Amino acid sequence: MHAYDLPDARGHFGPYGGSFVSETLTHAIDELRAAYERCRRDPAFQREFEHELKHFVGRPSPIYHAQRLSRELGGAQILLKREDLNHTGAHKINNVIGQALLARRMGKPRVIAETGAGQHGVATATICARYGLECVVYMGSEDVKRQSPNVYRMKLLGATVVPVESGSRTLKDALNEALRDWVTNVEHTFYIIGTVAGPHPYPMMVRDFQSVIGRECLQQMPEMLAELGLPGCGGPHPDVVVACVGGGSNAMGIFHPYIPHPQVRLVGVEAAGAGLDSGRHAASLQRGAPGVLHGNRTYVLQNADGQITETHSISAGLDYPGVGPEHAWLKDSGRAEYVGVTDEEALAAFHRLARTEGIIPALESSHAVAWAIKTAPTMRPDQTILVNLSGRGDKDIGTVADLSGADFYCRPSCRGQSVKVAGGGAA
Ligand SMILES: *Cc1c(COP(=O)(O)O)cnc(C)c1O
């Protein structure tokens, strides 16, 4: 695997990826590809990106040894890459900074974005405030209702949030609407996509920006292993790297620098929802089939007629019927494996990490934590599982409180009284 150098010049990862866009967007995509190629090789651009990551995001994010959890499980040591500590609370900001810098270099004063749970919208609104760019965020009207705190956050930051009423009024509909806006306003508008999806060069570009996660791990692991007195896996590496997969950007970010180290197992966790065979999940790689979605060829959840099927996950950030094309390739080539974790397992992991380590993870990240909890006891205590903790769970406490019963919020002294938490239903 030493020669891993994908995608090719036209954005192909084996049979996946590429660029399937209407003629009206061909020029915009060509322009973007040329601009990114220049910036990618421009040390001044890379320096500015690194400066922003350090001073605005707070990088590098630490690797943390979940000692109490590991001891309870009695197997492999669980290590957490703390993307939850980033400004705005997740990995999404890394990519958004890269694309916003590119928008500035290209002289585009207006930025558009799509968002589902609202995390990408919040990150985009944040960086537009930081750089003085106009910001319009498309969001399914169903999601606007479910994620009202994030909608308000975007408005506080000066963004315009446009509710989308078409289709199932969720993420894929917001993405379609953002593409439509881009076609109309392409001269002065930059489209910031939130994951490793979309037409080439987006999957490659978002991966490159997110790869800072894995590059930091390569640098931090020797010290962590030395501290724990552990041998590492064929060098100063973890035995397993695991991440949740919605569109796949936090997973690609931590996987990519490890691809040339074949002894390191790469595991992507998809949302199995009510179960992989329940018809209510978002496991595109495990239950989908190759097709074209949002500008690239990848695994898509679709019926026999090629129509996109409804997805479900407890976690809005994983609730997407497609997946980045590079994951499709990593799956087919066998370099990475993809598994499912159910809503119930993710929720249990959410509570367990909070209670044993004092870290409330995002429900998305809880899927990766759940897999580590299941797998650690099957491994030796001198082995390590590195979990990408993609985000923090603040945004999810309303969802969790609803599922756990409202008195979950109460101190013992208020039990029995009906205490309703403000915004509990929609947070
Ligand atoms: C958006 C989000 C995800 C899913 O997106 P990927 O592109 O698959 O990383 C995962 N975790 C968190 C915290 C998110 O906000």
Side-chain angles (χ1 to χ4, degrees):
M1 296 293 293
H2 285 284
Y4 189 87
D5 187 23
L6 294 177
D8 68 14
R10 288 181 307 147
H12 293 124
F13 302 90
Y16 303 107
S19 180
F20 297 80
V21 293
S22 62
E23 210 150 309
T24 38
L25 278 183
T26 314
H27 174 68
I29 288 288
D30 286 346
E31 187 190 39
L32 174 64
R33 208 169 48 228
Y36 180 57
E37 269 317 314
R38 276 196 304 278
C39 289
R40 206 182 184 196
R41 284 182 272 113
D42 177 0
F45 180 88
Q46 296 302 336
R47 263 200 310 278
E48 192 173 6
F49 181 51
E50 281 161 29
H51 182 275
E52 292 293 276
L53 291 178
K54 180 173 175 189
H55 296 277
F56 192 63
V57 178
R59 303 203 71 92
S61 67
I63 291 178
Y64 167 77
H65 178 213
Q67 190 174 15
R68 270 171 38 87
L69 181 63
S70 306
R71 200 181 294 145
E72 271 182 20
L73 294 166
Q77 304 307 310
I78 295 178
L79 306 174
L80 306 175
K81 177 62 172 167
R82 300 289 310 274
E83 293 300 295
D84 61 313
L85 294 177
N86 293 342
H87 181 45
T88 70
H91 67 290
K92 294 229 167 62
I93 192 81
N94 304 324
N95 162 54
V96 165
I97 286 178
Q99 290 195 50
L101 288 175
L102 195 53
R104 283 213 305 198
R105 298 266 168 135
M106 292 173 75
K108 310 260 182 188
R110 180 174 179 267
V111 160
I112 58 171
E114 84 295 334
T115 199
Q119 290 303 102
H120 175 57
V122 168
T124 304
T126 298
I127 217 64
C128 286
R130 160 101 179 82
Y131 295 155
L133 301 166
E134 183 190 345
C135 181
V136 177
V137 179
Y138 289 93
M139 188 169 188
S141 60
E142 232 3 85
D143 290 332
V144 169
K145 268 189 261 168
R146 288 192 293 192
Q147 307 290 338
S148 56
N150 271 342
V151 174
Y152 188 54
R153 218 165 270 156
M154 288 183 255
K155 289 182 178 171
L156 285 174
L157 292 159
T160 304
V161 180
V162 181
V164 175
E165 301 291 351
S166 57
S168 56
R169 305 188 182 94
T170 57
L171 177 60
K172 70 172 178 7
D173 312 296
L175 229 151
N176 286 329
E177 209 51 42
L179 279 168
R180 211 161 293 147
D181 178 313
W182 203 29
V183 170
T184 316
N185 302 300
V186 73
E187 280 312 311
H188 64 293
T189 297
F190 190 102
Y191 180 15
I192 299 190
I193 295 187
T195 189
V196 284
H200 179 63
Y202 281 103
M204 170 182 81
M205 180 168 72
V206 177
R207 174 203 72 194
D208 290 349
F209 291 141
Q210 291 292 4
S211 293
V212 64
I213 303 172
R215 282 197 307 273
E216 285 176 5
C217 291
L218 282 178
Q219 288 191 346
Q220 293 165 322
M221 279 303 295
E223 187 186 338
M224 177 53 70
L225 288 166
E227 200 177 295
L228 299 176
L230 297 178
C233 176
H237 304 307
D239 293 81
V240 188
V241 174
V242 59
C244 65
V245 177
S249 68
N250 87 88
M252 273 323 308
I254 197 164
F255 285 1
H256 190 252
Y258 283 103
I259 291 175
H261 301 280
Q263 74 276 27
V264 178
R265 233 180 117 188
L266 305 178
V267 179
V269 183
E270 293 190 304
L276 281 178
D277 298 316
S278 68
R280 299 187 68 233
H281 57 73
S284 320
L285 287 161
Q286 293 166 90
R287 290 294 181 272
V292 171
L293 181 68
H294 296 140
N296 70 81
R297 189 177 156 78
T298 185
Y299 278 80
V300 181
L301 286 169
Q302 52 194 331
N303 63 23
D305 301 331
Q307 269 178 327
I308 307 302
T309 52
E310 288 303 310
T311 53
H312 162 80
S313 170
I314 189 176
S315 151
L318 302 183
D319 207 347
Y320 178 61
V323 63
E326 192 163 10
H327 286 293
W329 169 247
L330 289 176
K331 175 188 158 76
D332 283 12
S333 66
R335 179 61 190 93
E337 56 200 286
Y338 295 87
V339 298
V341 156
T342 64
D343 289 349
E344 206 175 317
E345 293 169 318
L347 193 58
F350 175 97
H351 287 297
R352 189 159 184 185
L353 194 68
R355 294 290 181 96
T356 52
E357 297 291 350
I359 297 171
I360 300 178
L363 280 173
E364 290 85 1
S365 324
S366 300
H367 286 71
V369 174
W371 186 85
I373 288 173
K374 277 199 281 192
T375 309
T378 69
M379 296 168 63
R380 296 189 315 266
D382 66 341
Q383 294 183 301
T384 53
I385 301 177
L386 176 59
V387 179
N388 199 8
L389 202 74
S390 54
R392 66 177 88 126
D394 306 29
K395 68 184 176 54
D396 297 314
I397 58 176
T399 306
V400 173
D402 278 355
L403 292 166
S404 313
D407 76 339
F408 188 78
Y409 264 126
C410 295
R411 290 183 303 273
S413 61
C414 74
R415 295 257 154 126
Q417 300 167 20
S418 99
V419 176
K420 198 63 188 144
V421 174

